[in-house]
Amino acid sequence: MSSSPLSAVLPTTASAVVTKAVAGSHVLKVKGYSLIKGLGVGKFIEFGKFSVGGSSWTVRFYPDGGPGSDYCADWVSIALFLLDPNPTTDVRANFKFNLLDQAQGKHVELNPQPGMRSFSNAKTGFGQDRFIKRMELDESTYLKDDCLEIRCDVTFALMKQISKVAVEAAKTQFVAVPPSDMHRHLAALLSGASGGGEGSVDVRFEVGGETFAAHRCLLAARSSVFSALLFGPMKEKTATCVKIEDMEPRVFKAMLHFIYTDSLPEMDKGETTVMAQHLLVAADMYNLPRLKLICEHELCKHVDGSTVDTMLALADQHGCRGLKEACLSTINFTRNLKETTASDGSEDSASAFEILAGREVTLRRGQAAVP
């Protein structure tokens, strides 16, 4: 029986399961190790979260051994936890912890973990109860100046199901489409306006004695506050120069740059934190939610004992949940550390606590998500 001539052009259905290995590493630093010894069996220090393959992870460090029994009472324990388990799908991962030998300048794997582990809602964490003996660690080159460094390597299989109708073989790509460069054109538009070029400039702003030229339609499209200010029933609707109060010129200039390019201008490293605070206030004032989250994300990285009061007040005033969580996490950590060192009663412990409560505290900070 001959085949139908239509069979040659009928589409066929194809499906596949594609598996690939996803790997990542995260470096963990413990500063002031002697001060967290004595927390007790089963008590831990939790590091900040990190991402591998789209999943969020964290590491718990047990200086006096993990929970359960006296099996690991003389050991340091460490464990990896999955922070966002899928209720229907397990994540199968292989991981290892490596201690930095500070004499040789290289990481060393201790007590290798065999095989894969299935992380799920029922079991979110796995680790090494007997990572290293405390006495061995105290006398080793892994510990230097009361500091140690651990690298966590995570590898897991990412599976993706693909179903599609295959009409014909994949075609050769004859045209390469470059990524969008609209932000470059808009940056040039802003630069031309600032340089005195008239073009379509139809509004100017006076900020702290400086004047900035801009385009009403673009500002209105990006900010509902500017839309109401420039096109609503206000006097600024017809004004050619709008005066902006309570904002520094450099902050307004940076906000304009973001409005035109969706990115922040380059700035000196030393002024990043201060500028982020000012821009967060401006973003809240002019309803620029992405700019607000970018600033919040940046400030979360600079929460410590010397800044936590200021950051917490800023978070409360402007409704920044992620920044507030970062502040409360630091406060809780320093409070627990203070209670631990207070039991020692010595001046050295108190002094060391003050150091850890300041800029040296880098353990477990929240992060604001930036879309």
Side-chain angles (χ1 to χ4, degrees):
M1 181 176 178
S2 62
S3 61
S4 168
L6 293 178
S7 61
V9 296
L10 288 176
T12 57
T13 301
S15 63
V17 175
V18 179
T19 305
K20 66 177 182 178
V22 179
S25 298
H26 188 67
V27 176
L28 316 163
K29 295 184 179 180
V30 178
K31 300 182 179 181
Y33 167 72
S34 62
L35 296 175
I36 60 174
K37 292 168 61 177
L39 284 180
V41 176
K43 295 186 177 181
F44 59 86
I45 299 297
E46 186 170 286
F47 292 84
K49 70 179 181 180
F50 60 97
S51 178
V52 178
S55 296
S56 296
W57 307 82
T58 188
V59 171
R60 292 179 181 177
F61 182 80
Y62 302 81
D64 296 314
S69 67
D70 295 333
Y71 168 75
C72 52
D74 296 327
W75 294 72
V76 172
S77 303
I78 193 166
L80 175 69
F81 282 80
L82 179 65
L83 292 179
D84 51 1
N86 189 307
T88 60
T89 306
D90 293 354
V91 174
R92 300 190 70 247
N94 195 1
F95 62 92
K96 60 183 179 180
F97 295 103
N98 309 272
L99 266 173
L100 174 65
D101 187 328
Q102 302 195 54
Q104 301 183 38
K106 64 179 183 180
H107 288 85
V108 179
E109 182 181 1
L110 304 178
N111 303 322
Q113 284 280 353
M116 306 286 282
R117 293 290 185 268
S118 292
F119 293 80
S120 64
N121 274 329
K123 181 67 174 177
T124 59
F126 293 91
Q128 295 178 240
D129 291 337
R130 292 188 167 191
F131 180 52
I132 186 172
K133 279 193 172 182
R134 267 196 308 282
M135 184 177 296
E136 179 185 344
L137 176 60
D138 291 344
E139 298 173 354
S140 71
T141 53
Y142 302 127
L143 191 62
K144 181 180 180 182
D145 298 329
D146 208 23
C147 300
L148 59 94
E149 179 177 306
I150 308 165
R151 192 186 72 206
C152 177
D153 299 332
V154 182
T155 304
F156 65 95
L158 184 65
M159 292 185 291
K160 184 177 181 181
Q161 292 184 345
I162 300 176
S163 298
K164 62 180 180 179
V165 176
V167 180
E168 56 187 57
K171 294 183 174 65
T172 302
Q173 181 176 337
F174 294 102
V175 178
V177 180
S180 172
D181 61 350
M182 181 184 292
H183 65 286
R184 297 181 182 274
H185 295 287
L186 292 178
L189 184 66
L190 177 62
S191 177
S194 302
E198 291 300 323
S200 58
V201 169
D202 54 7
V203 66
R204 298 181 185 278
F205 295 90
E206 183 182 335
V207 187
E210 295 187 28
T211 302
F212 300 90
H215 307 81
R216 290 175 182 267
C217 289
L218 200 150
L219 297 183
R222 296 281 280 158
S223 163
S224 60
V225 176
F226 273 122
S227 179
L229 181 71
L230 300 173
F231 292 100
M234 305 174 69
K235 66 178 182 180
E236 284 82 359
K237 179 178 180 180
T238 57
T240 57
C241 187
V242 179
K243 191 170 184 179
I244 301 294
E245 305 285 356
D246 301 325
M247 188 181 299
E248 295 181 18
R250 66 191 182 104
V251 177
F252 187 83
K253 183 178 181 180
M255 183 177 71
L256 269 187
H257 182 92
F258 174 83
I259 287 174
Y260 277 73
T261 67
D262 207 39
S263 65
L264 293 180
E266 293 185 3
M267 58 187 73
D268 294 336
K269 187 176 181 180
E271 68 173 1
T272 301
T273 304
V274 175
M275 179 63 83
Q277 294 180 53
H278 288 300
L279 279 174
L280 187 147
V281 175
D284 196 30
M285 181 185 304
Y286 287 95
N287 192 23
L288 297 165
R290 177 173 161 77
L291 175 59
K292 183 178 176 182
L293 284 175
I294 290 174
C295 296
E296 187 180 356
H297 175 79
E298 180 63 32
L299 293 176
C300 282
K301 297 185 290 186
H302 298 280
V303 177
D304 55 43
S306 64
T307 64
V308 66
D309 290 339
T310 301
M311 298 291 196
L312 185 57
L314 191 67
D316 281 334
Q317 185 177 358
H318 297 281
C320 302
R321 186 178 65 179
L323 181 58
K324 185 173 182 177
E325 289 178 357
C327 293
L328 295 179
S329 177
T330 297
I331 291 172
N332 289 336
F333 175 77
T334 53
R335 182 186 294 120
N336 293 337
L337 189 59
K338 186 175 183 180
E339 291 173 357
T340 302
T341 56
S343 62
D344 184 286
S346 66
E347 292 184 4
D348 290 342
S349 293
S351 175
F353 165 73
E354 295 299 332
I355 294 174
L356 282 174
R359 295 190 176 278
E360 294 300 322
V361 176
T362 57
L363 303 180
R364 194 180 182 188
R365 297 203 181 106
Q367 295 292 328
V370 179

